[in-house]
């Protein structure tokens, strides 16, 4: 069989622990036999980040900016315990945080649906994508406890001006205050990433905030989305047959629950944090959640939403066979290969991305899956719980 040609390489970012093991298996079993795989390889595994003083993470992010499409394996974000375990000289920052800061993007999370893994909401027929703004609000806030008898104000000072807005006079009782911010630039890039992604997926875009209560802060988000939509996207949306609308966050929650799914739901930072866990859980499994970072200038970085599955890795190191679910990592590769194919005008490569996903879903729907899915299976055929490697081989035989 002739292998599918690649034109531009993918930026390949290897990672840690169990997902690093699965990464190599996916390449050997599902990719290399079918595709003449071309990648620019960056090892973001913790030992390599340590050895390079984390330069490798920056270089990988710059490579995504240059080549346009990357695929990333899950990586350890070090904590105190990892400092000793990996003999680190520094508690290196989260690679995802570093990459996000360089690419300035929005994170889109979408569950992979299969018949037999049933969402808790019976009306949900299609996946719901959460688009989370990844900058500011309470994640960069300033907070204080204010004692009884103190007064809290917001002070905004310019070169020749000062505005003092009273927040609260704590004359009778102590309490708490918080100051937070966001920037026009970040909100604009959030909006453009969402509009571009909706066009790419040909799905409706919802954006929800609380502008009735937050008449300046949340209203700014609403206005920026509306302005950019009218100026840059309205005609593209009608040509694609999709719509954008804004609604209040509480109304959005009610509508999402009653919906059939199939839309992109853009959320402010905190709302996205909360809603993405709600959506992931309600669809059935974290191991079936994909994630892609899209930058406003159109660069894409694909990954699984879960971590390095440390508990399974310790079993693997002790010589046991594990049944770790590789599906979200397979979909990171399929998403990246399809996008690369689309950007390069390489239809065979883009179609391979589709076929890889279909083979994966068909394998599960035929009753062959990893243990985590077998445990929640409600399909017609009885579930057969396979090791990771046997599951990948089952997918490969379907693909062939
Ligand atoms: P995790 O790796 O997502 O795993 C948590 C638990 O969820 C696992 O122990 C396992 O449960 C289940 N699970 C997750 N993915 C699974 C899969 N593919 N197949 C089967 N079960 C799966 O989270 P964690 O243990 O909290 O974090 C481990 C490391 O990952 C940390 O060092 C963290 O920094 C890193 N992390 C990285 C990323 C990223 O790179 N994007 C994201 C999150 C965390 P059972 O053990 O019950 O089977
Ligand atoms: Mg969270």
């Amino acid at each position: 069989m002739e292998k599918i040609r690649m034109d531009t390489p993918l930026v390949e970012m290897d990672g840690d622990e169990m997902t690093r093991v699965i990464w190599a298996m996916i390449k050997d079993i599902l990719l290399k036999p079918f595709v003449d795989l071309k990648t620019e390889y960056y090892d973001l595994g913790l030992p390599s980040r340590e050895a390079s003083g984390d330069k490798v993470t920056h270089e990988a992010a710059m490579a995504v900016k240059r080549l346009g499409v990357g695929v990333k394996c899950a990586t350890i974000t070090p904590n105190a315990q990892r400092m000793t375990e990996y003999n680190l000289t520094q508690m290196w920052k989260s690679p995802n945080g570093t990459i996000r800061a360089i690419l300035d993007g929005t994170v889109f999370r979408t569950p992979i649906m299969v018949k037999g893994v049933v969402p808790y909401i019976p009306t949900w027929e299609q996946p719901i994508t959460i688009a989370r703004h990844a900058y500011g609000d309470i994640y960069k806030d300033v907070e204080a406890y204010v004692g009884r008898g103190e007064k809290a104000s917001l002070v905004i000072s310019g070169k020749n001006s000062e505005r003092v807005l009273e927040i609260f006079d704590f004359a009778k009782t102590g309490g708490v205050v918080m100051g937070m911010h966001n920037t026009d630039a970040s909100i604009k890039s959030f909006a453009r990433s969402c509009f571009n992604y909706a066009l790419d997926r040909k799905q409706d875009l919802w954006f929800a905030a609380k502008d009735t209560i937050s008449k300046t802060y949340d209203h700014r988000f609403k206005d920026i989305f509306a302005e950019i939509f009218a100026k840059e996207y309205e005609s593209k949306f009608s040509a694609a047959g999709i719509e954008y609308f804004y609604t209040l966050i509480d109304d959005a929650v009610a509508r999402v629950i009653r919906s059939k799914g199939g839309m992109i739901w853009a959320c402010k930072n905190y709302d996205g944090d909360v809603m993405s866990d709600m959506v992931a859980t309600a669809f059935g499994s974290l191991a079936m959640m994909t994630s892609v970072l899209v930058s406003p200038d159109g660069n894409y970085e694909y990954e699984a939403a879960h971590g390095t599955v440390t508990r399974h890795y310790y079993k693997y190191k002790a010589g046991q066979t594990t049944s770790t679910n590789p599906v979200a990592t397979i979909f990171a590769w399929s998403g990246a290969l399809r996008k690369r194919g689309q950007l390069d005008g390489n239809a065979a490569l883009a179609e391979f991305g589709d076929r890889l996903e279909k083979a994966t879903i068909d394998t599960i729907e035929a009753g062959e899956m990893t243990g985590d899915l077998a445990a929640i299976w409600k399909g017609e055929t009885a579930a057969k719980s396979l090791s990771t490697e046997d599951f990948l081989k089952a997918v490969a035989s379907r693909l062939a």
Side-chain angles (χ1 to χ4, degrees), residues 130-149:
I130 298 285
R132 176 181 172 189
H133 186 208
Y135 178 81
D137 302 348
I138 63 164
Y139 301 86
K140 283 212 182 287
D141 73 351
V142 179
E143 310 186 352
Y145 180 77
V146 186
R148 179 177 164 190

Side-chain angles (χ1 to χ4, degrees), residues 61-283:
M62 295 312 290
V64 176
K65 251 180 148 35
R66 176 164 44 83
L67 294 174
V69 187
V71 55
K72 180 181 167 292
C73 179
T75 45
I76 293 169
T77 300
N79 55 14
Q81 182 254 321
R82 301 292 197 175
M83 295 285 289
T84 6
E85 184 183 355
Y86 282 85
N87 204 7
L88 303 180
T89 53
Q90 264 190 57
M91 205 184 283
W92 305 109
K93 283 190 189 160
S94 147
N96 287 36
T98 303
I99 294 167
R100 212 177 293 148
I102 292 171
L103 294 180
D104 177 27
T106 299
V107 177
F108 297 86
R109 295 214 152 155
T110 310
I112 301 155
M113 292 183 78
V114 293
K115 290 189 204 91
V117 176
V118 182
Y120 287 88
I121 309 294
T123 50
W124 287 358
E125 290 167 8
Q126 285 176 65
I128 295 165
T129 296
I130 298 285
R132 176 181 172 189
H133 186 208
Y135 178 81
D137 302 348
I138 63 164
Y139 301 86
K140 283 212 182 287
D141 73 351
V142 179
E143 310 186 352
Y145 180 77
V146 186
R148 179 177 164 190
E150 291 184 308
K151 210 159 101 179
S153 314
L154 208 54
V155 181
I156 300 159
S157 37
K159 259 191 198 133
N160 306 305
S161 65
E162 187 166 276
R163 280 185 284 162
V164 180
L165 315 175
E166 184 180 312
I167 298 173
F168 194 73
D169 186 349
F170 291 85
K172 293 195 187 120
T173 169
V176 282
V177 288
M178 175 168 84
M180 61 183 195
H181 81 282
N182 223 301
T183 66
D184 284 355
S186 178
I187 301 167
K188 283 178 186 169
S189 83
F190 172 44
R192 289 198 175 94
S193 296
C194 291
F195 291 130
N196 287 337
Y197 196 73
L199 283 170
D200 193 53
R201 299 294 294 257
K202 298 208 170 25
Q203 288 182 329
D204 290 346
L205 177 70
W206 304 13
F207 175 51
K210 194 71 179 177
D211 66 294
T212 46
I213 299 298
S214 173
K215 291 187 192 325
T216 303
Y217 199 109
D218 277 21
H219 217 289
R220 187 79 194 145
F221 280 77
K222 179 185 174 181
D223 288 347
I224 286 176
F225 266 73
E227 247 173 65
I228 290 180
F229 181 68
K231 263 199 208 131
E232 300 170 27
Y233 291 95
E234 196 156 13
S235 56
K236 290 180 193 162
F237 267 54
S238 45
I242 56 174
E243 65 169 336
Y244 163 68
F245 73 90
Y246 171 86
T247 186
L248 288 168
I249 182 84
D250 36 358
D251 178 51
V253 169
R255 286 201 204 194
V256 162
I257 297 295
R258 288 194 311 259
S259 77
K260 291 184 172 174
M263 80 296 267
I264 297 158
W265 180 11
C267 293
K268 287 176 62 201
N269 209 346
Y270 174 80
D271 298 337
D273 187 351
V274 177
M275 292 307 163
S276 68
D277 276 14
M278 193 268 284
V279 167
T281 308
F283 271 101

